[in-house]
Amino acid sequence: MKQQHILTYFISSILMLLFCVSVNAQSDSIPSTANDSLKVKEKYGLRIGGDIGKLARTALEDDYTGFEIIADYRIKKKLYIAGEIGIEEKTNVTDYLNITTKGSYLKGGIDYNLYQNWLDMDNMIYTGFRIGASSFTQTLNSFNVYNTNQYWGEQFASTTPKEFDGLTAIWIELILGIKAEIFNNLYMGLNVQLKGLVSETEPENFQNIYIPGFNKTYDSSRIGVGYSYTISYRIPLYKKDK
């Protein structure tokens, strides 16, 4: 009787062990979670577009014409090489001067994405840095010479245009902006720019009032501001795991 109990216990133990091994094997064959095998690809490539803000100003403002091409290239997860090239023509009228500025500019630098995207999103909240250079002409359309003796002094005015060419300017700028992917590889963006003038050549007997790419200068200040509304398309050259 004792041997029969021992045999029964032994067989029961073997069956229990086989059952546990079977359950464990089945558990090992099931993936732990779907996320373990999920890989999200991030797009790398050349993104190119234009400043639609300048196109809108060209259509709406009689004294302004401008066009700008923008581009960036992703080199790391959050780092981009970026730049802009454009042309502008702007007429400024003050109490004493009427000046038309016309020229081209080039800017280059980097952008850094501060935003952590979810899954396969590809948006940006970024900060950037640029070095800008411009080559332009100033045409003095007309001017009045201010006389401090308003009662006895004779006021002098000229309406004969005079052109000053070969003018240049160099500046640096900090950028803060956003870019959102509205459709696959198509992006809308907005940024603001704070600029600091490094050097400039000035026309004879008056200051630069407007510099293409730098925008309006404020009296003797070397600080400028700007903004851009952009639309761009990324050419996806390759992808990397996120």
Side-chain angles (χ1 to χ4, degrees):
M1 181 67 67
K2 185 176 181 180
Q3 292 179 349
Q4 184 177 1
H5 283 298
I6 294 174
L7 181 61
T8 301
Y9 176 81
F10 179 78
I11 293 174
S12 299
S13 300
I14 293 294
L15 291 176
M16 182 62 70
L17 179 61
L18 290 175
F19 175 78
C20 293
V21 170
S22 176
V23 170
N24 188 58
Q26 290 178 7
S27 298
D28 290 343
S29 65
I30 299 175
S32 56
T33 62
N35 291 332
D36 290 342
S37 60
L38 180 63
K39 291 184 178 180
V40 177
K41 298 288 187 177
E42 290 184 322
K43 293 173 285 188
Y44 285 70
L46 176 65
R47 182 163 45 193
I48 188 168
D51 185 346
I52 57 178
K54 285 183 170 55
L55 296 179
R57 288 185 63 190
T58 299
L60 298 175
E61 299 179 16
D62 295 333
D63 60 356
Y64 178 85
T65 301
F67 179 76
E68 181 179 279
I69 296 175
I70 65 168
D72 66 32
Y73 186 84
R74 190 177 199 173
I75 56 175
K76 290 188 177 181
K77 179 180 176 65
K78 292 182 175 291
L79 189 63
Y80 299 74
I81 298 175
E84 298 82 28
I85 184 171
I87 57 173
E88 285 188 308
E89 180 176 341
K90 180 75 167 69
T91 298
N92 289 276
V93 180
T94 69
D95 292 337
Y96 306 103
L97 294 174
N98 183 312
I99 302 175
T100 298
T101 305
K102 183 178 182 179
S104 59
Y105 61 91
L106 175 67
K107 299 189 292 184
I110 59 172
D111 289 335
Y112 184 81
N113 189 9
L114 305 172
Y115 181 70
Q116 181 63 48
N117 283 288
W118 295 1
L119 297 178
D120 58 346
M121 292 172 60
D122 191 19
N123 301 320
M124 293 179 67
I125 299 176
Y126 66 94
T127 183
F129 173 83
R130 298 285 190 278
I131 297 176
S134 178
S135 175
F136 57 99
T137 62
Q138 299 270 25
T139 301
L140 183 58
N141 301 312
S142 63
F143 66 93
N144 298 319
V145 177
Y146 178 74
N147 193 323
T148 56
N149 191 335
Q150 296 292 312
Y151 186 78
W152 296 106
E154 181 181 355
Q155 301 298 315
F156 176 76
S158 174
T159 57
T160 302
K162 185 176 182 181
E163 183 176 287
F164 302 87
D165 57 6
L167 305 176
T168 61
I170 297 175
W171 67 92
I172 58 174
E173 63 183 57
L174 299 176
I175 300 175
L176 181 64
I178 60 174
K179 286 182 182 178
E181 187 176 24
I182 55 175
F183 297 107
N184 188 32
N185 292 318
L186 184 65
Y187 299 82
M188 294 289 291
L190 166 66
N191 68 63
V192 292
Q193 308 139 21
L194 178 64
K195 308 166 188 279
L197 194 60
V198 176
S199 67
E200 63 174 324
T201 54
E202 295 183 339
E204 185 180 355
N205 296 326
F206 67 94
Q207 297 178 335
N208 291 314
I209 295 179
Y210 193 92
I211 298 174
F214 183 85
N215 300 334
K216 183 179 179 181
T217 61
Y218 295 90
D219 297 327
S220 299
S221 173
R222 305 182 74 84
I223 301 299
V225 294
Y227 65 91
S228 293
Y229 297 100
T230 63
I231 184 169
S232 57
Y233 180 81
R234 171 177 284 157
I235 304 170
L237 301 179
Y238 61 96
K239 296 182 178 180
K240 287 184 178 181
D241 291 341
K242 186 172 182 179

